[in-house]
Amino acid sequence: QVQLQESGPGLVKASQTLSLTCTVSGGSITTSYYYWSWIRQPPGKGLEWMGAIAYDGSTYYSPSLKSHTSISRDTSKNQFSLQLSSVTPEDTAVYYCARVKYNSWYDYWGQGTQVTVSS
C-alpha cells in the first residue's frame, strides 16, 4: 500500500516562498513510469494540476505556474518537494501530492495540507 504525506508550513506571508514536501512510503519514487504530482484546490474552486516529477527525475509544470514553481526530489528519503515563489493570497489552497502511472489514472493521494497566504 502506497502512502503519501504532505508536510510544510500552514501559513506563508505574501511574496515569500511556499515549500512543501511529500513523503512516500510503500513504493519508490524511482519506480518506472510513475509520476509524482502536486495538485491544489483553492477554496470554492476545482483541482489545479501544478506540476510533476517523473521516475527518472524529469519535471513538468503547468504553463500558468511554471515561472515560479519548482519541483525536486530526494531519492534517499523517498520524498519530492514543491517550491512556489512570490506567493499571493490567491495561492491559498489545499495542496495535495499524488501518484499517477503513465497513461493511467491517479491512484494514490496524500490527505492534503491547507496553506494560507497572508497579505
Side-chain angles (χ1 to χ4, degrees):
Q1 178 81 1
V2 176
Q3 293 184 319
L4 293 84
Q5 178 67 57
E6 305 91 349
S7 60
L11 183 63
V12 181
K13 293 183 179 180
S15 80
Q16 293 186 340
T17 296
L18 181 162
S19 296
L20 296 174
T21 295
C22 184
T23 301
V24 180
S25 58
S28 173
I29 62 172
T30 62
T31 299
S32 291
Y33 311 125
Y34 283 102
Y35 296 75
W36 304 88
S37 301
W38 286 100
I39 297 165
R40 68 181 182 180
Q41 186 169 29
K45 297 184 179 180
L47 295 171
E48 178 184 23
W49 180 81
M50 301 181 70
I53 188 163
Y55 58 96
D56 62 358
S58 302
T59 52
Y60 306 86
Y61 299 103
S62 167
S64 64
L65 298 172
K66 185 175 183 178
S67 64
H68 65 123
T69 303
S70 178
I71 298 174
S72 59
R73 67 179 185 174
D74 185 337
T75 56
S76 68
K77 296 180 180 179
N78 214 36
Q79 295 174 333
F80 64 104
S81 298
L82 169 73
Q83 289 198 315
L84 185 66
S85 62
S86 304
V87 296
T88 72
E90 285 66 43
D91 294 307
T92 294
V94 178
Y95 286 75
Y96 298 92
C97 55
R99 186 185 86 163
V100 63
K101 190 173 183 179
Y102 175 77
N103 209 29
S104 187
W105 305 100
Y106 284 94
D107 55 0
Y108 291 102
W109 293 69
Q111 65 183 19
T113 187
Q114 172 70 47
V115 178
T116 300
V117 179
S118 63
S119 58

